[in-house]
Amino acid sequence: MTTTTLKTRTILSLLLAACVHAAQGAEPLSIDQRVTQLMKRMTLEEKVGQLTQYSGDADPTGPVAVKGSLRDGISSGQIGSIFSAKGTRSIRQYQDLALQSRLKIPLLFGLDVIHGYKTTFPIPLAEAASWDLEAIERSARVAAIEAAAAGIHWTFAPMVDIGRDPRWGRVMEGAGEDTYLASRIAAARVKGFQGRQLGDTDAVMACVKHFAAYGAAVGGRDYNSVDMSERMLWETYLPPFKAALDAGAATVMTSFNDLNGIPASASRYLLRDTLKGKWHFTGFVVSDWRSIEEMTAHGFVANNKEAAQAALSAGNDMDMESGVYRENLAQLVHEKKVALADVDDAVRRVLRKKFELGLFDDPYKFIDPERERAMLNKPEHRQAAREVAAKSIVLLKNDRAVLPLSKSIRKLALIGPMIKLGVENHGYWSVTVPEVDYAHQAVSAWDGIAAKLGKDATLLYAKGSDIEGEDRSGFAEAVRVASEADAVVIGVGERWDMSGEARSRSKLDLPGVQEELIKAIVATGKPVVVMINAGRPLVFDWTADHAPAILYNWWLGSEAGNAVADVLFGDVNPSAKLPMTFPRSVGQIPIYYNHFNTGRPAPNPTATEWVSAYTDLINLPKFPFGFGLSYTTFRYADLKLDRQTLRGDGKIKVSIQLTNTGKVAGEEVVQLYLRDRVASVVRPVKELKGFRKVALAAGETRTVDFTIDKESLSFFNAALQWNAEPGDFDLMIGASSADIRLQSRFVYAR
Ligand code: BGC
């Protein structure tokens, strides 16, 4: 049977059923009623099928026949979801097979759309540096529009794991170290992905991951264990999940780690008690890749059958890739080791989403090659990517106002192994990179700068060194080229795939001889701008101390080079602020701004005797959380609190006057921090509780407002109750966590 006849038949039979129902004068069935009706017709094996997901084996650059076992599994209704198949041509093949199954239950297609689909946006950590919730939501929106047009129903994003340890390569996927910022960003991403409502053909289901505490892997080593107090879990690691769920996230993915000895994929505490219990989550939970099967390696279960039993019973609805549900669940139900009610609950959750997506009304709803052609890489998507990319670039240093460079510069030297990289700018977890899809190459810094300057300027080039390795043979040429130029831009950093999953590193210096290359170029005395590509905070103390200007560019996506040129030449004034603390040395990690004071806080940055400090290191980070410069300057003045005492459920209105004191327009991220002076459990030295990104013309002044309420003061006490305690609070407003410009105090009274 051809696809078209199949499609027509399915739609006809569904329409017929609906007409009969309507002719009987009945109300249209609710989704839950439709799920119930369908489940009555399902065998146990078919139910298990809905809980089984495999990665697709279609060639990513074009469709090939779906292979044997996968083909049979889908057409016999034993597989409910496929991930990593992409493009309408490929996806149609799979859906055709599903519609050959007895009950014709459509497949659900998932993919890691982490920062864009064809149009790649900056890596999530970079976007977090923008502190621009609208831009971040727009980025996820564009990703959803493109992915949905390519047949995808579901993205495995946002990743909301708090990252306090830059050795962990997956910090590039998250929003950094701060719970408040990460929570706001998690909600923005979910809204962007899911659009107006599930079922629209420009929306994909979000999957908030990895539940939970994956970012706290001991030593920053990926997949490592996590051991933490419940208080820390609830206060620091869980809120971004809650924020994503409150924003409507349809699904949740478990994490690879064990948490206090229990693998997350079989944690009843996390899944049944917290997520589905306390938080009333009605979507479904998917395991991470083979994480159910991996519980044997954890030593938590003896075999795959026990793994299936433990995971399903704990509330893990869908098994990604390990096949242990498919092989064992039906038997486990027969043996009464798994309750049928638990299986039914999981199936109901999955089917509900398929109904919400409208797949039962039209399984081919997302498969429209015309739409796919029209939507991918649209000019306005590229434009949005360029804007977000420019907003994500952090200006770390700008001595003697080296930046912005003049557009009428005559000779500019571009040096370093990153300058001419194209497709690599897509970064880790891009959908495009594995295809080496040259049609959708990202713009290199070289091309972006050349396009900006036009023909009147001469660009000189020397690679200087590789990213890794000891080869210094290119240094002399690089120095010669630099000496001939009016200014030099050096592009160095980590290779795009040095951060990401399974990319933990014990050294965070600029790899290879790149910092030596910088030293050689800085020694020429020319105005030098160092641009660093990386997926995490790196350690580059010499460069930070000696290079006059530094831009932290992360990995910026399809429009990288254009965005870089926009910032280098002042068409965009940088406004990003670091979402993670940058250490001076790997030995300082984990390092984060919202630490406790301890009983022996260091009174100054160099104190070491009998205080909490390292004897061989200044007691400060290299660049603090929230830090980032602009081409203009801002004055913070006139802090006002409308009252000094906050009572019960009341509010304090806080305002300041922010003035752009420089000569160009710019945006500032005004940050509000609080400190609870005395509490029943010790509280951080400061905690971000609000921020505003404000655009000001040169010379302009604006009032910036914040509201503080009981929620802003609340925390989990020793009994894990969320509450605010009466007493004194410090209020700090500043341009970074370490650059507090205005301070006050207030009292909370019940
Ligand atoms: C990652 C997940 C990802 C999954 C599917 C796993 O290895 O941990 O984040 O969604 O693979 O690609």
Side-chain angles (χ1 to χ4, degrees), residues 83 112 156 170 173 209-210 214 253 256 288-289 320 429 501:
F83 72 106
D112 291 286
F156 300 139
R170 298 196 81 167
E173 280 177 67
K209 70 187 188 186
H210 304 86
Y214 184 33
M253 186 185 292
F256 285 123
D288 202 347
W289 175 291
M320 179 191 282
W429 279 124
E501 185 177 347

Side-chain angles (χ1 to χ4, degrees), residues 94-155:
Y94 290 100
Q95 203 62 301
D96 286 350
L97 285 170
L99 296 182
Q100 287 172 21
S101 65
R102 190 178 76 89
L103 292 173
K104 306 190 188 334
I105 301 177
L107 285 169
L108 196 58
F109 294 95
L111 185 70
D112 291 286
V113 183
I114 307 295
H115 51 112
Y117 185 74
K118 276 290 169 196
T119 309
T120 314
F121 283 74
I123 58 168
L125 185 62
E127 282 191 351
S130 75
W131 296 53
D132 189 325
L133 299 173
E134 273 171 38
I136 291 171
E137 182 174 335
R138 196 179 323 128
S139 156
R141 189 84 285 281
V142 170
I145 291 170
E146 293 195 1
I152 305 298
H153 307 140
W154 179 22
T155 175

Side-chain angles (χ1 to χ4, degrees), residues 53 108 154-161 190 194 198 205-213 237-238 240-256 264-265 267 270-272 274-277 279-289 291-292 314-320 325 349-350 353:
Q53 182 192 53
L108 196 58
W154 179 22
T155 175
F156 300 139
M159 188 274 220
V160 303
D161 299 315
V190 169
Q194 298 193 165
L198 293 188
M205 294 198 296
C207 181
V208 55
K209 70 187 188 186
H210 304 86
F211 201 57
Y237 288 84
L238 293 187
F241 288 94
K242 184 66 168 54
L245 296 172
D246 289 345
T251 69
V252 173
M253 186 185 292
T254 63
S255 56
F256 285 123
S265 297
S267 168
L270 285 175
L271 304 178
R272 283 224 191 277
T274 301
L275 185 62
K276 295 176 176 178
W279 291 351
H280 307 292
F281 173 62
T282 56
F284 71 87
V285 177
V286 63
S287 75
D288 202 347
W289 175 291
S291 64
I292 301 182
N316 189 331
D317 303 310
M318 188 182 278
D319 171 9
M320 179 191 282
Y325 279 8
R349 287 167 181 271
V350 172
K353 291 301 164 205

